[in-house]
Each structure stands twice: as structure tokens, then as C-alpha cells.
Amino acid sequence: ALPGLANADSRLQESRERLSVCSKLCYAVGGAPYQITGCALGFFLQIYLLDVAQVDAFYASIILFAGRVWDAITDPMVGFFISKTSWTRFGRLMPWIMFSTPFAIISYFLIWFVPDISTGQVMWYLVFYCAFQTLVTCFHVPYSALTMFISREQSERDSATAYRMTVEVLGTVLGTAIQGQIVGKVDTPCIESPFFFGLTNSSVAMEELNMTHDTESLTDTRNAYMIAAGVIGGLYILCALILLLGVREKRESSELHSDEPVSFFQGLKLVMNHRPYIKLIAGFLFTSLAFMLLEGNFALFCTYTLGFRNEFQNILLAIMLSATLTIPFWQWFLTRFGKKTAVYVGISSAIPFLIAVVVLDSNLIVTYVVAVAAGISVAAAFLLPWSMLPDVIDDFKLQHPSSHGHEAIFFSFYVFFTKFTAGVSLGISTLSLDFAGYQTRGCSQPGQVNFTLKMLVSAVPVGLILLSLLLFKLYPIDEEKRRKNKKALQDLR
């Protein structure tokens, strides 16, 4: 009778840990602010700095590089402070989300404002970009760690993660749609050739008239960016409120009966020596790099290399809509065939389409087909890291049952490594455009710039994806291992 009694207790415990659909949805909505703002910045900040704020390409590369690197540095810092935070009646993670939100909105809006100053413009964007990255980290690191505090059941966490990834990808659709459609309604003027070079008096007068028109059009474009920032800021606040009011942080969900506190630096050493974790973040490091390079340069690629100046925001929207619609498919696929198989199939599916977009002649229909196909792969890249990290944490807990409270370290250092390398790659890619001779607000670009853009959205991402697939071969937690870990954790609790 004892085994039957144990099974009954196990089923009772699982039913208690079940999350309602409402709780999962409220939890999932909390992931949208990071993705909405991140997508708007990722797709549009580079072209905004170069063609709207008219920052020199060299200084734009410094802003993008420094902002991303600072963003990466703040992740483990925030993870450290969260690990030192005492539990309150709201939880340990929720107060971070609550207090960071209003300041994040202000700094985000000021990123998209062009200050009327002759000097110090570069410092303006650098300061507010870094400030926003710090504040959004204070939101997203505790939110990511919240996965381990909503339920002890793997299946419930996986289900909540699937809800979250669906909403997060929907957030990228909203970020792309809001920013792209508002800004796309305004015709940003471009420059055919340098002014006042070998012109007659009558043509000089005509050019002065054109300059006045261009100045007015540029002002309209700048206003459009600020309107988009205001709309996105409102959505950020709404999503934060839904998360705070609809989700309860459960202290007992992440604790084992034998838990005793361990210092942050001891925990960090243990985490960094956990081999499954290192192998997982190494694989997703190169995957993230591939898609971030694609994200950061795709607007410029569509505008100049493909010649779709007035279509690029719709092409970006096609990518994100495709990704949103295929998240449920990938959730079913990883449940049916396992997470490692989903990694191989999902991420590698982008390769032929990334090659096709640069090999084939510029064609709008082909570009949309490639965009939809790329979105399918983007969905897998979004879902899988966050679905696999809790498995690594469970494995860690079995190997170190006396150590607890390190969930934020796992999540923050995963984000740290991806953001740091993304900052380096984005800075180098913008600098490469500068060396290739990028023309600010040009209606077209030199051949070297178009070749560089092809490398940045096709050849380099394909190489990084292939490298990541080799690294995933070394990842040791397969479906059988996951089932054994789940049973062992239930016994330990």
C-alpha cells in the first residue's frame, strides 16, 4: 500500500502546483516589455542614429557597443543584488519589477529624442541608452528568475514558459509593428549627392528649397519616433501592472527540504563549474549572436542592398508574425520529440533561407518568403533557451542539494554572455559599415557597403548557427535525463 500512498501524495502535490490559465497568461504578459522595447531598439536604433539623429557611423558604433556591453555587465550585478534581497510580503523579485518600471519608461523615451545641442549629442544617447539598459535589466532578470518561483513542477514551468515565449514573440511583433508602422508613415528624406558642388546659381536656389523640405521631413520623422516611443512606454506600464497584480511569487517553489544559504560568490563558482550550464550557454551564445546580427542590420539591408526603402518595416513584421504563430508548434515539437531535437531542426531551418536572400536577385516576393521562413527559426531560438535553462537548474540542485537561491545567477549570466558578445558584434558590424564608406542619409550606398551588409545578414549568421549546432551535440541533458531528474527531485523534496 505504501507505493500507492506515495503515488497519491505525488499526484496531490502536482495538483497543488498546477497553475491556472489566468496565472500563466499574467506571467507571460510580463515578458512583453523587454521584447517590445528590445525589438524596437534592435531593429531601428542603428538606422535611427545614422539617418535620423545623423550621428557619425563611428560614434554610432561606440554607442551601440557601449550600451550593449553595459547592458551585459548589469545582468550579473542585478543578479547579485537580487540574491542579497530579503523576502518581503510582495516577494523577493516583484519589488525590483515594481520600482524599475517608471524610470525605465522615461529613459526609453529620451533615447528617441533628438536634443537641440551642437555638442554632446553622442553623450546624450550613450547615457540614456545605458540608463535604460540598466533599468530594463532590473525588470527582466527578476522576471526571468520568476520561472523557478511559480511552480515546482517541470511540466507547469514548461507550459508557463511556452505561454511566455508566445507573448514575448507577440511583443516583438508589437515592437516591430508600432515602431515600423508609425515611422514608416513618414518619408525620411535621403540625399542623392553632396550639396553645392559644381552648381549654377539657379540650381543652388533649387537646392536651398530642397534642403528646407528635407529639414521639415526630417522633423516629421523625428516626431514619429517619439510618438512610437510614447505608445511603447504605455504598453510597458500596462504589462508590468498585469504581471504584478496577476502573479504570486511562491517562496517554497524553489526550495528543497535541505536548503541552507550559500554566499553569492560561492554560488557563482558552483554555477560556473556546472558543465551542462556552460555547454548550454555556449550553444545559445552563438545562436543569439547570429540572430542579433541579422536583427541589427536587417533594416539597412532591406533599405539599401535590396532596395525596399518603403517596405522594410512590413518585411520585419512578416518575420515576427511568423515567429509568433509557430511558437505553439515548437512547444508541441519539443514535447513530442525532445528539446535537443527541436534545437537541431528549429535553428538549422534558417540556413537555406539566409543564403537564398543574398544569392537570388532582389525580389519582393522572395524576400517575404524568406522572412516568413526565418520567423519559424526565430521562434525556436526564442523558446528553447528559456525552456532548457530550468532543466539545467534542476540538474544543479540534485548535484548541490545544500545550495539554493542561485536561480537569478543562472538566468543573469546566460543573458550576460549573450548580451556582451552581441554588443561586441553589433559595434564591430556598425564600424565595418563605416570602414566600407557608409553614406549617412544616402539614397544608395557604395558597393562595399552592400557587400558588407550581405556578410552581416547571411554569411556570418550561417557560420555562427553551424558552430552552435556542433556545441549542442555536447549538451548532456536529454529527455531520459530530464525524467530521472524530475523523479529524484520529488524524492528529495
Side-chain angles (χ1 to χ4, degrees):
L2 288 177
L5 186 61
N7 289 334
D9 288 342
S10 177
R11 285 193 295 271
L12 180 62
Q13 181 62 41
E14 286 186 22
S15 66
R16 287 175 180 170
E17 292 292 333
R18 287 225 173 95
L19 298 171
S20 68
V21 172
C22 182
S23 294
K24 292 176 184 178
L25 285 172
C26 290
Y27 165 73
V29 165
Y34 180 78
Q35 297 300 339
I36 293 173
T37 56
C39 192
L41 289 167
F43 279 126
F44 292 93
L45 184 58
Q46 186 185 50
I47 198 168
Y48 166 80
L49 291 174
L50 293 173
D51 287 359
V52 180
Q54 298 183 49
V55 176
D56 181 82
F58 173 75
Y59 292 112
S61 70
I62 292 175
I63 293 168
L64 294 168
F65 166 73
R68 288 278 190 156
V69 170
W70 175 249
D71 184 22
I73 293 170
T74 58
D75 281 290
M77 288 170 56
V78 170
F80 169 77
F81 288 120
I82 288 173
S83 71
K84 294 296 183 183
T85 302
S86 300
W87 278 85
T88 68
R89 66 192 185 95
F90 300 107
R92 189 172 71 177
L93 305 173
M94 289 299 195
W96 284 83
I97 295 170
M98 191 185 308
F99 291 114
S100 66
T101 295
F103 300 104
I105 302 303
I106 295 169
S107 58
Y108 179 78
F109 181 80
L110 292 174
I111 292 172
W112 302 104
F113 177 75
V114 180
D116 188 17
I117 50 178
S118 55
T119 58
Q121 191 182 41
V122 173
M123 188 55 64
W124 173 280
Y125 290 114
L126 188 59
V127 167
F128 286 111
Y129 188 34
C130 289
F132 173 72
Q133 297 291 13
T134 302
L135 291 161
V136 80
T137 296
C138 291
F139 182 106
H140 197 249
V141 168
Y143 172 73
S144 299
L146 191 60
T147 308
M148 303 302 296
F149 290 85
I150 56 176
S151 177
R152 285 189 292 195
E153 283 299 311
Q154 282 183 357
S155 58
E156 291 300 297
R157 293 198 307 250
D158 284 348
S159 177
T161 298
Y163 275 79
R164 171 190 165 189
M165 289 302 109
T166 303
V167 173
E168 286 200 7
V169 179
L170 183 60
T172 66
V173 172
L174 283 173
T176 307
I178 292 168
Q179 192 85 6
Q181 298 304 313
I182 292 176
V183 172
K185 298 294 183 186
V186 182
D187 182 25
T188 305
C190 62
I191 300 172
E192 291 286 358
S193 59
F195 292 127
F196 310 118
F197 184 77
L199 300 171
T200 64
N201 289 337
S202 60
S203 61
V204 167
M206 184 60 70
E207 288 293 352
E208 287 177 342
L209 183 63
N210 289 338
M211 284 183 69
T212 303
H213 171 71
D214 285 352
T215 301
E216 291 174 355
S217 298
L218 193 58
T219 301
D220 291 341
T221 304
R222 290 172 177 177
N223 290 337
Y225 272 100
M226 286 190 287
I227 291 169
V231 174
I232 288 173
L235 283 173
Y236 192 120
I237 293 172
L238 178 63
C239 292
L241 284 173
I242 291 172
L243 173 67
L244 292 168
L245 296 175
V247 176
R248 187 171 71 88
E249 185 180 345
K250 302 174 184 177
R251 183 173 186 173
E252 69 276 4
S253 290
S254 69
E255 295 180 351
L256 302 174
H257 293 310
S258 55
D259 282 342
E260 292 180 4
V262 176
S263 76
F264 174 85
F265 291 105
Q266 285 177 307
L268 179 60
K269 183 178 179 180
L270 289 172
V271 167
M272 289 305 162
N273 285 328
H274 190 58
R275 296 180 70 183
Y277 179 63
I278 297 301
K279 291 171 181 176
L280 182 68
I281 62 173
F284 278 115
L285 175 70
F286 292 105
T287 303
S288 300
L289 271 177
F291 287 106
M292 284 178 182
L293 273 175
L294 182 65
E295 176 189 272
N297 295 283
F298 198 71
L300 290 171
F301 176 73
C302 287
T303 300
Y304 295 113
T305 306
L306 298 181
F308 302 136
R309 177 177 290 275
N310 298 320
E311 284 286 337
F312 79 86
Q313 68 270 14
N314 297 323
I315 296 169
L316 297 179
L317 191 56
I319 294 174
M320 293 305 151
L321 278 172
S322 171
T324 304
L325 294 173
T326 50
I327 282 280
F329 165 76
W330 288 118
Q331 175 62 21
W332 168 83
F333 190 95
L334 68 85
T335 304
R336 178 69 177 80
F337 299 103
K339 296 179 183 180
K340 285 188 73 170
T341 304
V343 166
Y344 299 141
V345 175
I347 294 173
S348 63
S349 64
I351 293 175
F353 297 99
L354 291 177
I355 295 171
V357 78
V358 298
V359 171
L360 300 177
D361 292 335
S362 178
N363 182 290
L364 189 57
I365 295 175
V366 170
T367 304
Y368 273 108
V369 171
V370 169
V372 171
I376 296 171
S377 193
V378 167
F382 260 85
L383 175 65
L384 289 162
W386 301 110
S387 180
M388 294 167 81
L389 266 174
D391 300 335
V392 171
I393 297 173
D394 285 343
D395 188 72
F396 175 85
K397 285 179 178 178
L398 285 174
Q399 294 188 28
H400 306 280
S402 63
S403 180
H404 74 94
H406 307 310
E407 293 83 5
I409 299 176
F410 276 98
F411 285 96
S412 64
F413 270 89
Y414 165 70
V415 178
F416 166 78
F417 286 120
T418 55
K419 285 181 178 177
F420 181 83
T421 49
V424 173
S425 67
L426 192 56
I428 290 174
S429 68
T430 310
L431 203 56
S432 300
L433 294 174
D434 186 35
F435 288 145
Y438 181 85
Q439 301 294 317
T440 300
R441 290 178 60 201
C443 290
S444 60
Q445 296 293 339
Q448 297 95 318
V449 171
N450 290 324
F451 176 78
T452 302
L453 286 169
K454 287 182 179 181
M455 292 296 102
L456 293 173
V457 302
S458 180
V460 178
V462 166
L464 291 169
I465 288 172
L466 291 173
L467 183 56
S468 71
L469 293 175
L470 289 175
L471 289 168
F472 280 122
K473 290 289 289 181
L474 304 175
Y475 178 67
I477 302 178
D478 54 18
E479 293 308 298
E480 184 180 355
K481 178 76 170 173
R482 284 182 68 232
R483 284 192 292 271
K484 288 180 179 177
N485 285 352
K486 178 182 178 180
K487 178 67 170 61
L489 278 172
Q490 287 176 341
D491 294 343
L492 196 56
R493 286 177 180 132

